[in-house]
Amino acid sequence: MVPHFITALTGPINELEQRIIDSTPAIERWFRLEWMEHTPPFYASIDLRNSGFKLAPVDTNLFPSGWNNLTEPMLPLAVQATMASIEKICPEARNLLIIPENHNRSPSYLASLAQLQRIFKMSGLNVRLGSISPDVKKPVEINLPTGQSVVLEPVVRTKRRLGVKHFDPCTILLNNDLSAGVPGILEELYEQYLLPPLHASWSMRRKSRHFQSYEEVAKRFGKMLGIDHWLIHPLFAKAEGLDFAQNTGMEALSAQVDALLTKIRRKYKEYGIKDKPFVMVKADNGTYGQGIMTVRDAKELPELLATAGEKLGFVHNGVSVHDVIVQEGVQTSERMHDAVAEPVVYTMDRYVVGGFYRMHPERGIDENLNAPGSSYVPLAFAHSAQMPQAGQHPGASAPNRFYMYGVIGRLAMLAASYELEATDPDAEVYD
């Protein structure tokens, strides 16, 4: 159940695409065997960047919003994937409670919640939205510009369970990344399934840990495919103990930036790439595209920090940043409506269920697109049974291009499962 987008796309011819298409049977078998050993995250969205010579994930979100950008043809895939996941987790499930973000009342986010509710209702579940915000003291109905409406209800906590008035769920789905910390009301819920688990929240999760897991996955996948895993993996480093307010620890950050740029230049030389390398400096616990800076030379850092350091020092909910990931920048060769764009892949359980293009008319090919002013172009699907088109030249077939995107998205999803297993505080450790 791997969907293929039908939106027309022109891009540079890519040897990697040909290798992936030629290896489809081996790839699908490899994924099947992996999922026999590992549990996929319940849902995720993965930001990809395609430079023409490299295709890699640059962020993996385990509390995805944006479901409203998925088109009608995508919904059957999302519903089937949801059914498959629920059957594994709680086959007798009847009620599902979604915990949304506390203070986000933007129409787009509320429309995303409405779409999630619709997907789960079509999967055969009763669904309610339970807010953990102290500001929600009674049910609040909010009408959306689309004509839909959502109802936010205050959660009710008993000794062992969480729900809303007259509604006792089997499963609780977090659509709140808990970046400000895990509230006590969500702890010690031993009688209900809590998805994703609390250690997936940004209060505990780190981007550097995720990409450490992704590097492991990419190496294994690259060995199986006979390719250099660098073609699908962004190099990265980590800088810790920074204080952007006091401007301390910046020497260590500069050293990491310089060392990583040196490694990238070496790979560019190996592949005959003439582009100027760059890195992205991101909050290691970052979210919502905040706290991100593009650096092309370590010598630029003092000036960049003077103008953007304050923004880099805080992320969503005013959480301060002291650790950053320095990530190899992957420029984008994608274009939609004359604006630079990047594909975003959505997954549910172990399946790719949809996606869209994020585009930004005011950003360049080497800049973060997840920023104010970005817009989204939904991607329609070819027939869901259609498989990659063998015999097509690389870049000539949209289904082939998007099959490739789905493969890389699933690698990031698999890396997230590795990550969550490794960071599970309740996992048994054997000597």
Side-chain angles (χ1 to χ4, degrees), residues 9 48-51 330-344 356-361 363-365 367 369 374-377 379 405:
L9 173 71
L48 304 178
R49 301 278 285 206
N50 173 22
S51 68
V330 182
Q331 68 181 39
T332 177
S333 65
E334 310 282 26
R335 295 289 186 280
M336 291 294 287
H337 307 314
D338 297 322
V340 293
E342 62 187 11
V344 181
F356 55 78
Y357 269 113
R358 178 188 290 118
M359 62 182 192
H360 202 302
R363 294 290 176 108
I365 61 175
E367 294 182 288
L369 304 187
S374 62
S375 56
Y376 306 93
V377 178
L379 298 167
Y405 289 171

PDB file of all heavy atoms in Angstrom, residues 9 48-51 330-344 356-361 363-365 367 369 374-377 379 405:
ATOM      1  N   LEU A   9       5.806  16.704 -12.305  1.00  0.00           N
ATOM      2  CA  LEU A   9       6.990  17.285 -11.690  1.00  0.00           C
ATOM      3  C   LEU A   9       8.166  17.087 -12.625  1.00  0.00           C
ATOM      4  O   LEU A   9       8.376  16.015 -13.151  1.00  0.00           O
ATOM      5  CB  LEU A   9       7.293  16.599 -10.358  1.00  0.00           C
ATOM      6  CG  LEU A   9       8.602  17.001  -9.686  1.00  0.00           C
ATOM      7  CD1 LEU A   9       8.486  18.416  -9.148  1.00  0.00           C
ATOM      8  CD2 LEU A   9       8.945  16.049  -8.573  1.00  0.00           C
ATOM      9  N   LEU A  48      11.227  16.206   3.270  1.00  0.00           N
ATOM     10  CA  LEU A  48      12.302  15.721   2.412  1.00  0.00           C
ATOM     11  C   LEU A  48      12.901  16.869   1.610  1.00  0.00           C
ATOM     12  O   LEU A  48      12.236  17.882   1.359  1.00  0.00           O
ATOM     13  CB  LEU A  48      11.774  14.664   1.429  1.00  0.00           C
ATOM     14  CG  LEU A  48      11.072  13.439   2.008  1.00  0.00           C
ATOM     15  CD1 LEU A  48      10.591  12.544   0.881  1.00  0.00           C
ATOM     16  CD2 LEU A  48      11.990  12.673   2.935  1.00  0.00           C
ATOM     17  N   ARG A  49      14.144  16.697   1.203  1.00  0.00           N
ATOM     18  CA  ARG A  49      14.780  17.648   0.289  1.00  0.00           C
ATOM     19  C   ARG A  49      15.452  16.858  -0.830  1.00  0.00           C
ATOM     20  O   ARG A  49      16.196  15.911  -0.577  1.00  0.00           O
ATOM     21  CB  ARG A  49      15.823  18.494   1.019  1.00  0.00           C
ATOM     22  CG  ARG A  49      15.277  19.304   2.168  1.00  0.00           C
ATOM     23  CD  ARG A  49      14.634  20.595   1.743  1.00  0.00           C
ATOM     24  NE  ARG A  49      15.617  21.599   1.371  1.00  0.00           N
ATOM     25  CZ  ARG A  49      15.399  22.915   1.447  1.00  0.00           C
ATOM     26  NH1 ARG A  49      14.240  23.377   1.880  1.00  0.00           N
ATOM     27  NH2 ARG A  49      16.326  23.766   1.075  1.00  0.00           N
ATOM     28  N   ASN A  50      15.181  17.275  -2.064  1.00  0.00           N
ATOM     29  CA  ASN A  50      15.736  16.630  -3.242  1.00  0.00           C
ATOM     30  C   ASN A  50      16.611  17.635  -3.975  1.00  0.00           C
ATOM     31  O   ASN A  50      16.116  18.600  -4.545  1.00  0.00           O
ATOM     32  CB  ASN A  50      14.605  16.140  -4.146  1.00  0.00           C
ATOM     33  CG  ASN A  50      15.103  15.617  -5.475  1.00  0.00           C
ATOM     34  OD1 ASN A  50      16.260  15.231  -5.601  1.00  0.00           O
ATOM     35  ND2 ASN A  50      14.226  15.606  -6.467  1.00  0.00           N
ATOM     36  N   SER A  51      17.933  17.416  -3.944  1.00  0.00           N
ATOM     37  CA  SER A  51      18.853  18.339  -4.605  1.00  0.00           C
ATOM     38  C   SER A  51      19.177  17.900  -6.025  1.00  0.00           C
ATOM     39  O   SER A  51      19.861  18.617  -6.752  1.00  0.00           O
ATOM     40  CB  SER A  51      20.154  18.445  -3.801  1.00  0.00           C
ATOM     41  OG  SER A  51      20.857  17.225  -3.858  1.00  0.00           O
ATOM     42  N   VAL A 330      20.633  20.398   2.510  1.00  0.00           N
ATOM     43  CA  VAL A 330      20.297  19.785   1.220  1.00  0.00           C
ATOM     44  C   VAL A 330      19.438  20.784   0.472  1.00  0.00           C
ATOM     45  O   VAL A 330      18.310  21.064   0.871  1.00  0.00           O
ATOM     46  CB  VAL A 330      19.541  18.448   1.409  1.00  0.00           C
ATOM     47  CG1 VAL A 330      19.256  17.815   0.046  1.00  0.00           C
ATOM     48  CG2 VAL A 330      20.324  17.495   2.294  1.00  0.00           C
ATOM     49  N   GLN A 331      19.991  21.357  -0.587  1.00  0.00           N
ATOM     50  CA  GLN A 331      19.211  22.338  -1.330  1.00  0.00           C
ATOM     51  C   GLN A 331      18.065  21.633  -2.044  1.00  0.00           C
ATOM     52  O   GLN A 331      18.076  20.420  -2.233  1.00  0.00           O
ATOM     53  CB  GLN A 331      20.083  23.080  -2.341  1.00  0.00           C
ATOM     54  CG  GLN A 331      20.584  22.223  -3.489  1.00  0.00           C
ATOM     55  CD  GLN A 331      21.472  23.005  -4.441  1.00  0.00           C
ATOM     56  OE1 GLN A 331      22.275  23.830  -4.019  1.00  0.00           O
ATOM     57  NE2 GLN A 331      21.330  22.744  -5.727  1.00  0.00           N
ATOM     58  N   THR A 332      17.059  22.378  -2.444  1.00  0.00           N
ATOM     59  CA  THR A 332      15.924  21.777  -3.119  1.00  0.00           C
ATOM     60  C   THR A 332      15.911  22.170  -4.586  1.00  0.00           C
ATOM     61  O   THR A 332      16.100  23.339  -4.931  1.00  0.00           O
ATOM     62  CB  THR A 332      14.591  22.174  -2.459  1.00  0.00           C
ATOM     63  OG1 THR A 332      13.510  21.605  -3.213  1.00  0.00           O
ATOM     64  CG2 THR A 332      14.394  23.675  -2.383  1.00  0.00           C
ATOM     65  N   SER A 333      15.703  21.177  -5.428  1.00  0.00           N
ATOM     66  CA  SER A 333      15.567  21.439  -6.861  1.00  0.00           C
ATOM     67  C   SER A 333      14.100  21.474  -7.273  1.00  0.00           C
ATOM     68  O   SER A 333      13.778  21.633  -8.444  1.00  0.00           O
ATOM     69  CB  SER A 333      16.295  20.345  -7.660  1.00  0.00           C
ATOM     70  OG  SER A 333      15.677  19.085  -7.457  1.00  0.00           O
ATOM     71  N   GLU A 334      13.207  21.315  -6.306  1.00  0.00           N
ATOM     72  CA  GLU A 334      11.779  21.272  -6.601  1.00  0.00           C
ATOM     73  C   GLU A 334      11.223  22.676  -6.816  1.00  0.00           C
ATOM     74  O   GLU A 334      11.639  23.636  -6.171  1.00  0.00           O
ATOM     75  CB  GLU A 334      11.011  20.611  -5.450  1.00  0.00           C
ATOM     76  CG  GLU A 334      11.585  19.278  -4.988  1.00  0.00           C
ATOM     77  CD  GLU A 334      11.230  18.137  -5.922  1.00  0.00           C
ATOM     78  OE1 GLU A 334      10.984  18.379  -7.113  1.00  0.00           O
ATOM     79  OE2 GLU A 334      11.210  16.996  -5.443  1.00  0.00           O
ATOM     80  N   ARG A 335      10.229  22.774  -7.690  1.00  0.00           N
ATOM     81  CA  ARG A 335       9.542  24.048  -7.937  1.00  0.00           C
ATOM     82  C   ARG A 335       8.049  23.785  -8.045  1.00  0.00           C
ATOM     83  O   ARG A 335       7.624  22.810  -8.655  1.00  0.00           O
ATOM     84  CB  ARG A 335      10.011  24.695  -9.247  1.00  0.00           C
ATOM     85  CG  ARG A 335      11.461  25.134  -9.270  1.00  0.00           C
ATOM     86  CD  ARG A 335      11.667  26.365  -8.373  1.00  0.00           C
ATOM     87  NE  ARG A 335      13.034  26.865  -8.496  1.00  0.00           N
ATOM     88  CZ  ARG A 335      14.075  26.353  -7.886  1.00  0.00           C
ATOM     89  NH1 ARG A 335      13.920  25.280  -7.111  1.00  0.00           N
ATOM     90  NH2 ARG A 335      15.273  26.874  -8.027  1.00  0.00           N
ATOM     91  N   MET A 336       7.266  24.657  -7.450  1.00  0.00           N
ATOM     92  CA  MET A 336       5.822  24.646  -7.626  1.00  0.00           C
ATOM     93  C   MET A 336       5.389  26.090  -7.789  1.00  0.00           C
ATOM     94  O   MET A 336       5.671  26.943  -6.936  1.00  0.00           O
ATOM     95  CB  MET A 336       5.115  24.032  -6.412  1.00  0.00           C
ATOM     96  CG  MET A 336       5.340  22.522  -6.243  1.00  0.00           C
ATOM     97  SD  MET A 336       4.623  21.512  -7.554  1.00  0.00           S
ATOM     98  CE  MET A 336       2.893  21.642  -7.157  1.00  0.00           C
ATOM     99  N   HIS A 337       4.742  26.400  -8.920  1.00  0.00           N
ATOM    100  CA  HIS A 337       4.255  27.757  -9.175  1.00  0.00           C
ATOM    101  C   HIS A 337       5.382  28.786  -9.025  1.00  0.00           C
ATOM    102  O   HIS A 337       5.202  29.838  -8.407  1.00  0.00           O
ATOM    103  CB  HIS A 337       3.088  28.107  -8.245  1.00  0.00           C
ATOM    104  CG  HIS A 337       1.977  27.102  -8.270  1.00  0.00           C
ATOM    105  ND1 HIS A 337       1.461  26.580  -9.433  1.00  0.00           N
ATOM    106  CD2 HIS A 337       1.286  26.513  -7.258  1.00  0.00           C
ATOM    107  CE1 HIS A 337       0.500  25.725  -9.150  1.00  0.00           C
ATOM    108  NE2 HIS A 337       0.369  25.651  -7.844  1.00  0.00           N
ATOM    109  N   ASP A 338       6.538  28.469  -9.567  1.00  0.00           N
ATOM    110  CA  ASP A 338       7.707  29.363  -9.568  1.00  0.00           C
ATOM    111  C   ASP A 338       8.263  29.644  -8.178  1.00  0.00           C
ATOM    112  O   ASP A 338       9.037  30.578  -7.993  1.00  0.00           O
ATOM    113  CB  ASP A 338       7.371  30.702 -10.253  1.00  0.00           C
ATOM    114  CG  ASP A 338       7.020  30.523 -11.718  1.00  0.00           C
ATOM    115  OD1 ASP A 338       7.655  29.675 -12.371  1.00  0.00           O
ATOM    116  OD2 ASP A 338       6.110  31.212 -12.207  1.00  0.00           O
ATOM    117  N   ALA A 339       7.882  28.857  -7.188  1.00  0.00           N
ATOM    118  CA  ALA A 339       8.431  29.011  -5.840  1.00  0.00           C
ATOM    119  C   ALA A 339       9.198  27.747  -5.475  1.00  0.00           C
ATOM    120  O   ALA A 339       8.849  26.641  -5.915  1.00  0.00           O
ATOM    121  CB  ALA A 339       7.311  29.254  -4.826  1.00  0.00           C
ATOM    122  N   VAL A 340      10.267  27.894  -4.681  1.00  0.00           N
ATOM    123  CA  VAL A 340      10.993  26.704  -4.233  1.00  0.00           C
ATOM    124  C   VAL A 340      10.057  25.882  -3.351  1.00  0.00           C
ATOM    125  O   VAL A 340       9.216  26.426  -2.630  1.00  0.00           O
ATOM    126  CB  VAL A 340      12.284  27.071  -3.474  1.00  0.00           C
ATOM    127  CG1 VAL A 340      13.276  27.727  -4.405  1.00  0.00           C
ATOM    128  CG2 VAL A 340      12.000  27.959  -2.282  1.00  0.00           C
ATOM    129  N   ALA A 341      10.214  24.576  -3.416  1.00  0.00           N
ATOM    130  CA  ALA A 341       9.284  23.690  -2.714  1.00  0.00           C
ATOM    131  C   ALA A 341      10.017  22.454  -2.212  1.00  0.00           C
ATOM    132  O   ALA A 341      11.111  22.134  -2.665  1.00  0.00           O
ATOM    133  CB  ALA A 341       8.142  23.282  -3.649  1.00  0.00           C
ATOM    134  N   GLU A 342       9.389  21.782  -1.251  1.00  0.00           N
ATOM    135  CA  GLU A 342       9.915  20.521  -0.744  1.00  0.00           C
ATOM    136  C   GLU A 342       8.751  19.579  -0.483  1.00  0.00           C
ATOM    137  O   GLU A 342       7.676  20.012  -0.037  1.00  0.00           O
ATOM    138  CB  GLU A 342      10.716  20.732   0.545  1.00  0.00           C
ATOM    139  CG  GLU A 342       9.920  21.290   1.697  1.00  0.00           C
ATOM    140  CD  GLU A 342      10.778  21.656   2.903  1.00  0.00           C
ATOM    141  OE1 GLU A 342      12.017  21.673   2.764  1.00  0.00           O
ATOM    142  OE2 GLU A 342      10.204  21.938   3.972  1.00  0.00           O
ATOM    143  N   PRO A 343       8.917  18.299  -0.789  1.00  0.00           N
ATOM    144  CA  PRO A 343       7.841  17.350  -0.526  1.00  0.00           C
ATOM    145  C   PRO A 343       7.777  16.978   0.955  1.00  0.00           C
ATOM    146  O   PRO A 343       8.806  16.886   1.630  1.00  0.00           O
ATOM    147  CB  PRO A 343       8.218  16.141  -1.380  1.00  0.00           C
ATOM    148  CG  PRO A 343       9.693  16.243  -1.559  1.00  0.00           C
ATOM    149  CD  PRO A 343      10.053  17.688  -1.492  1.00  0.00           C
ATOM    150  N   VAL A 344       6.571  16.790   1.444  1.00  0.00           N
ATOM    151  CA  VAL A 344       6.331  16.322   2.808  1.00  0.00           C
ATOM    152  C   VAL A 344       5.494  15.053   2.705  1.00  0.00           C
ATOM    153  O   VAL A 344       4.443  15.052   2.066  1.00  0.00           O
ATOM    154  CB  VAL A 344       5.594  17.382   3.653  1.00  0.00           C
ATOM    155  CG1 VAL A 344       5.389  16.878   5.082  1.00  0.00           C
ATOM    156  CG2 VAL A 344       6.352  18.705   3.654  1.00  0.00           C
ATOM    157  N   PHE A 356       2.183  16.439   0.516  1.00  0.00           N
ATOM    158  CA  PHE A 356       1.948  17.703  -0.176  1.00  0.00           C
ATOM    159  C   PHE A 356       3.289  18.384  -0.388  1.00  0.00           C
ATOM    160  O   PHE A 356       4.321  17.943   0.129  1.00  0.00           O
ATOM    161  CB  PHE A 356       1.001  18.610   0.620  1.00  0.00           C
ATOM    162  CG  PHE A 356       1.427  18.883   2.040  1.00  0.00           C
ATOM    163  CD1 PHE A 356       2.425  19.797   2.334  1.00  0.00           C
ATOM    164  CD2 PHE A 356       0.809  18.227   3.103  1.00  0.00           C
ATOM    165  CE1 PHE A 356       2.808  20.055   3.652  1.00  0.00           C
ATOM    166  CE2 PHE A 356       1.183  18.480   4.418  1.00  0.00           C
ATOM    167  CZ  PHE A 356       2.190  19.395   4.687  1.00  0.00           C
ATOM    168  N   TYR A 357       3.270  19.439  -1.163  1.00  0.00           N
ATOM    169  CA  TYR A 357       4.451  20.275  -1.311  1.00  0.00           C
ATOM    170  C   TYR A 357       4.328  21.482  -0.408  1.00  0.00           C
ATOM    171  O   TYR A 357       3.305  22.176  -0.411  1.00  0.00           O
ATOM    172  CB  TYR A 357       4.605  20.758  -2.753  1.00  0.00           C
ATOM    173  CG  TYR A 357       5.429  19.851  -3.608  1.00  0.00           C
ATOM    174  CD1 TYR A 357       4.856  19.154  -4.662  1.00  0.00           C
ATOM    175  CD2 TYR A 357       6.782  19.667  -3.355  1.00  0.00           C
ATOM    176  CE1 TYR A 357       5.610  18.311  -5.454  1.00  0.00           C
ATOM    177  CE2 TYR A 357       7.543  18.825  -4.133  1.00  0.00           C
ATOM    178  CZ  TYR A 357       6.957  18.158  -5.182  1.00  0.00           C
ATOM    179  OH  TYR A 357       7.707  17.309  -5.949  1.00  0.00           O
ATOM    180  N   ARG A 358       5.370  21.735   0.372  1.00  0.00           N
ATOM    181  CA  ARG A 358       5.484  23.002   1.093  1.00  0.00           C
ATOM    182  C   ARG A 358       6.307  23.934   0.210  1.00  0.00           C
ATOM    183  O   ARG A 358       7.397  23.576  -0.233  1.00  0.00           O
ATOM    184  CB  ARG A 358       6.190  22.800   2.434  1.00  0.00           C
ATOM    185  CG  ARG A 358       6.370  24.107   3.208  1.00  0.00           C
ATOM    186  CD  ARG A 358       7.242  23.913   4.445  1.00  0.00           C
ATOM    187  NE  ARG A 358       6.559  23.117   5.465  1.00  0.00           N
ATOM    188  CZ  ARG A 358       6.976  21.955   5.917  1.00  0.00           C
ATOM    189  NH1 ARG A 358       8.088  21.416   5.414  1.00  0.00           N
ATOM    190  NH2 ARG A 358       6.322  21.291   6.833  1.00  0.00           N
ATOM    191  N   MET A 359       5.789  25.105  -0.049  1.00  0.00           N
ATOM    192  CA  MET A 359       6.534  26.035  -0.899  1.00  0.00           C
ATOM    193  C   MET A 359       6.563  27.412  -0.261  1.00  0.00           C
ATOM    194  O   MET A 359       5.699  27.769   0.557  1.00  0.00           O
ATOM    195  CB  MET A 359       5.934  26.089  -2.302  1.00  0.00           C
ATOM    196  CG  MET A 359       4.512  26.577  -2.392  1.00  0.00           C
ATOM    197  SD  MET A 359       3.933  26.543  -4.097  1.00  0.00           S
ATOM    198  CE  MET A 359       2.414  27.505  -3.921  1.00  0.00           C
ATOM    199  N   HIS A 360       7.577  28.179  -0.633  1.00  0.00           N
ATOM    200  CA  HIS A 360       7.753  29.511  -0.052  1.00  0.00           C
ATOM    201  C   HIS A 360       8.335  30.437  -1.118  1.00  0.00           C
ATOM    202  O   HIS A 360       9.489  30.257  -1.534  1.00  0.00           O
ATOM    203  CB  HIS A 360       8.688  29.447   1.158  1.00  0.00           C
ATOM    204  CG  HIS A 360       8.522  30.589   2.111  1.00  0.00           C
ATOM    205  ND1 HIS A 360       8.674  31.914   1.726  1.00  0.00           N
ATOM    206  CD2 HIS A 360       8.209  30.625   3.440  1.00  0.00           C
ATOM    207  CE1 HIS A 360       8.462  32.696   2.767  1.00  0.00           C
ATOM    208  NE2 HIS A 360       8.174  31.933   3.815  1.00  0.00           N
ATOM    209  N   PRO A 361       7.575  31.418  -1.588  1.00  0.00           N
ATOM    210  CA  PRO A 361       8.031  32.273  -2.684  1.00  0.00           C
ATOM    211  C   PRO A 361       9.175  33.208  -2.313  1.00  0.00           C
ATOM    212  O   PRO A 361       9.841  33.745  -3.193  1.00  0.00           O
ATOM    213  CB  PRO A 361       6.767  33.069  -3.051  1.00  0.00           C
ATOM    214  CG  PRO A 361       5.953  33.083  -1.802  1.00  0.00           C
ATOM    215  CD  PRO A 361       6.210  31.764  -1.131  1.00  0.00           C
ATOM    216  N   ARG A 363      11.759  32.366  -0.133  1.00  0.00           N
ATOM    217  CA  ARG A 363      12.926  31.644   0.360  1.00  0.00           C
ATOM    218  C   ARG A 363      13.722  31.067  -0.801  1.00  0.00           C
ATOM    219  O   ARG A 363      13.184  30.772  -1.868  1.00  0.00           O
ATOM    220  CB  ARG A 363      12.499  30.528   1.321  1.00  0.00           C
ATOM    221  CG  ARG A 363      11.870  31.038   2.624  1.00  0.00           C
ATOM    222  CD  ARG A 363      12.917  31.712   3.507  1.00  0.00           C
ATOM    223  NE  ARG A 363      12.363  32.300   4.700  1.00  0.00           N
ATOM    224  CZ  ARG A 363      12.539  31.815   5.932  1.00  0.00           C
ATOM    225  NH1 ARG A 363      13.253  30.715   6.112  1.00  0.00           N
ATOM    226  NH2 ARG A 363      12.022  32.425   6.969  1.00  0.00           N
ATOM    227  N   GLY A 364      15.033  30.875  -0.554  1.00  0.00           N
ATOM    228  CA  GLY A 364      15.917  30.324  -1.562  1.00  0.00           C
ATOM    229  C   GLY A 364      16.041  28.822  -1.464  1.00  0.00           C
ATOM    230  O   GLY A 364      15.498  28.186  -0.560  1.00  0.00           O
ATOM    231  N   ILE A 365      16.832  28.247  -2.382  1.00  0.00           N
ATOM    232  CA  ILE A 365      16.958  26.792  -2.460  1.00  0.00           C
ATOM    233  C   ILE A 365      17.714  26.203  -1.278  1.00  0.00           C
ATOM    234  O   ILE A 365      17.664  24.998  -1.050  1.00  0.00           O
ATOM    235  CB  ILE A 365      17.649  26.366  -3.774  1.00  0.00           C
ATOM    236  CG1 ILE A 365      19.066  26.947  -3.850  1.00  0.00           C
ATOM    237  CG2 ILE A 365      16.816  26.786  -4.976  1.00  0.00           C
ATOM    238  CD1 ILE A 365      19.853  26.462  -5.054  1.00  0.00           C
ATOM    239  N   GLU A 367      17.381  27.454   1.980  1.00  0.00           N
ATOM    240  CA  GLU A 367      16.805  28.017   3.202  1.00  0.00           C
ATOM    241  C   GLU A 367      15.669  27.151   3.715  1.00  0.00           C
ATOM    242  O   GLU A 367      15.070  26.353   2.984  1.00  0.00           O
ATOM    243  CB  GLU A 367      16.300  29.442   2.948  1.00  0.00           C
ATOM    244  CG  GLU A 367      17.398  30.444   2.637  1.00  0.00           C
ATOM    245  CD  GLU A 367      16.842  31.856   2.452  1.00  0.00           C
ATOM    246  OE1 GLU A 367      16.193  32.095   1.426  1.00  0.00           O
ATOM    247  OE2 GLU A 367      17.062  32.704   3.339  1.00  0.00           O
ATOM    248  N   LEU A 369      12.051  26.219   4.597  1.00  0.00           N
ATOM    249  CA  LEU A 369      10.765  26.614   4.015  1.00  0.00           C
ATOM    250  C   LEU A 369       9.620  26.556   5.016  1.00  0.00           C
ATOM    251  O   LEU A 369       8.538  27.063   4.748  1.00  0.00           O
ATOM    252  CB  LEU A 369      10.430  25.718   2.811  1.00  0.00           C
ATOM    253  CG  LEU A 369      11.467  25.644   1.681  1.00  0.00           C
ATOM    254  CD1 LEU A 369      10.910  24.854   0.507  1.00  0.00           C
ATOM    255  CD2 LEU A 369      11.901  27.031   1.248  1.00  0.00           C
ATOM    256  N   SER A 374       4.793  30.378   4.156  1.00  0.00           N
ATOM    257  CA  SER A 374       4.775  29.152   3.355  1.00  0.00           C
ATOM    258  C   SER A 374       3.336  28.782   3.017  1.00  0.00           C
ATOM    259  O   SER A 374       2.388  29.167   3.699  1.00  0.00           O
ATOM    260  CB  SER A 374       5.450  28.011   4.112  1.00  0.00           C
ATOM    261  OG  SER A 374       4.755  27.724   5.313  1.00  0.00           O
ATOM    262  N   SER A 375       3.176  28.036   1.941  1.00  0.00           N
ATOM    263  CA  SER A 375       1.854  27.556   1.543  1.00  0.00           C
ATOM    264  C   SER A 375       1.988  26.106   1.104  1.00  0.00           C
ATOM    265  O   SER A 375       3.097  25.582   0.962  1.00  0.00           O
ATOM    266  CB  SER A 375       1.270  28.413   0.420  1.00  0.00           C
ATOM    267  OG  SER A 375       2.144  28.449  -0.691  1.00  0.00           O
ATOM    268  N   TYR A 376       0.855  25.466   0.862  1.00  0.00           N
ATOM    269  CA  TYR A 376       0.861  24.026   0.645  1.00  0.00           C
ATOM    270  C   TYR A 376       0.049  23.667  -0.586  1.00  0.00           C
ATOM    271  O   TYR A 376      -1.043  24.193  -0.792  1.00  0.00           O
ATOM    272  CB  TYR A 376       0.302  23.307   1.874  1.00  0.00           C
ATOM    273  CG  TYR A 376       1.017  23.711   3.140  1.00  0.00           C
ATOM    274  CD1 TYR A 376       0.540  24.753   3.935  1.00  0.00           C
ATOM    275  CD2 TYR A 376       2.193  23.091   3.512  1.00  0.00           C
ATOM    276  CE1 TYR A 376       1.212  25.144   5.074  1.00  0.00           C
ATOM    277  CE2 TYR A 376       2.880  23.474   4.650  1.00  0.00           C
ATOM    278  CZ  TYR A 376       2.383  24.505   5.420  1.00  0.00           C
ATOM    279  OH  TYR A 376       3.059  24.897   6.541  1.00  0.00           O
ATOM    280  N   VAL A 377       0.606  22.780  -1.388  1.00  0.00           N
ATOM    281  CA  VAL A 377      -0.073  22.294  -2.579  1.00  0.00           C
ATOM    282  C   VAL A 377      -0.322  20.806  -2.400  1.00  0.00           C
ATOM    283  O   VAL A 377       0.627  20.015  -2.390  1.00  0.00           O
ATOM    284  CB  VAL A 377       0.777  22.538  -3.843  1.00  0.00           C
ATOM    285  CG1 VAL A 377       0.064  21.973  -5.075  1.00  0.00           C
ATOM    286  CG2 VAL A 377       1.045  24.024  -4.024  1.00  0.00           C
ATOM    287  N   LEU A 379      -1.046  16.975  -3.054  1.00  0.00           N
ATOM    288  CA  LEU A 379      -0.640  16.087  -4.129  1.00  0.00           C
ATOM    289  C   LEU A 379      -1.688  15.001  -4.291  1.00  0.00           C
ATOM    290  O   LEU A 379      -2.012  14.307  -3.336  1.00  0.00           O
ATOM    291  CB  LEU A 379       0.718  15.453  -3.812  1.00  0.00           C
ATOM    292  CG  LEU A 379       1.877  16.454  -3.681  1.00  0.00           C
ATOM    293  CD1 LEU A 379       3.078  15.774  -3.074  1.00  0.00           C
ATOM    294  CD2 LEU A 379       2.217  17.031  -5.032  1.00  0.00           C
ATOM    295  N   TYR A 405      10.246   8.964  -3.114  1.00  0.00           N
ATOM    296  CA  TYR A 405      10.007   9.787  -1.925  1.00  0.00           C
ATOM    297  C   TYR A 405       9.381   8.962  -0.804  1.00  0.00           C
ATOM    298  O   TYR A 405       9.706   9.138   0.373  1.00  0.00           O
ATOM    299  CB  TYR A 405       9.094  10.965  -2.271  1.00  0.00           C
ATOM    300  CG  TYR A 405       9.743  12.020  -3.129  1.00  0.00           C
ATOM    301  CD1 TYR A 405       8.989  13.052  -3.675  1.00  0.00           C
ATOM    302  CD2 TYR A 405      11.108  12.002  -3.393  1.00  0.00           C
ATOM    303  CE1 TYR A 405       9.577  14.029  -4.462  1.00  0.00           C
ATOM    304  CE2 TYR A 405      11.699  12.967  -4.181  1.00  0.00           C
ATOM    305  CZ  TYR A 405      10.938  13.977  -4.721  1.00  0.00           C
ATOM    306  OH  TYR A 405      11.518  14.938  -5.495  1.00  0.00           O
TER     307      TYR A 405
END
